Amino acid sequence: MTNHLHPKTMMNEDELKNRLIQEVDMMSINQLNELGNRAVKMGLIVGHGYRGGKYEILRKGEALMMTPQEAQSYLENLIKEIGG
């Protein structure tokens, strides 16, 4: 038996994939934001946030620019090493 999918069904599958990707991205952004807020509350950094497509972490008079993945690792390690 051949599977004849209607083009609209295929579009819905693509839309679903895109929504799932967006939700995963949003969860990552939320997790990074929570890590940044925790580091601020602990006094480890002064501020954090997205700027120009990178993630900026403000610490001791310096602005560190990195990818969101690098920022997450940096903040996790900082919290473990200094705040842990």
Side-chain angles (χ1 to χ4, degrees), residues 18-76:
N18 288 336
R19 274 192 202 155
L20 288 173
I21 290 168
Q22 288 173 348
E23 286 181 26
V24 168
D25 288 346
M26 199 57 156
M27 287 189 302
S28 297
I29 291 168
N30 289 339
Q31 184 178 14
L32 183 53
N33 191 49
E34 288 173 15
L35 279 171
N37 288 341
R38 184 172 171 199
V40 169
K41 286 180 185 172
M42 296 171 77
L44 303 175
I45 63 173
V46 179
H48 64 99
Y50 281 95
R51 183 173 179 201
K54 294 276 188 175
Y55 202 80
E56 181 178 40
I57 297 174
L58 303 174
R59 183 170 187 219
K60 296 179 184 173
E62 63 181 335
L64 308 170
M65 300 294 284
M66 51 190 80
T67 67
Q69 295 82 8
E70 292 168 335
Q72 183 169 342
S73 293
Y74 178 85
L75 289 170
E76 287 172 348

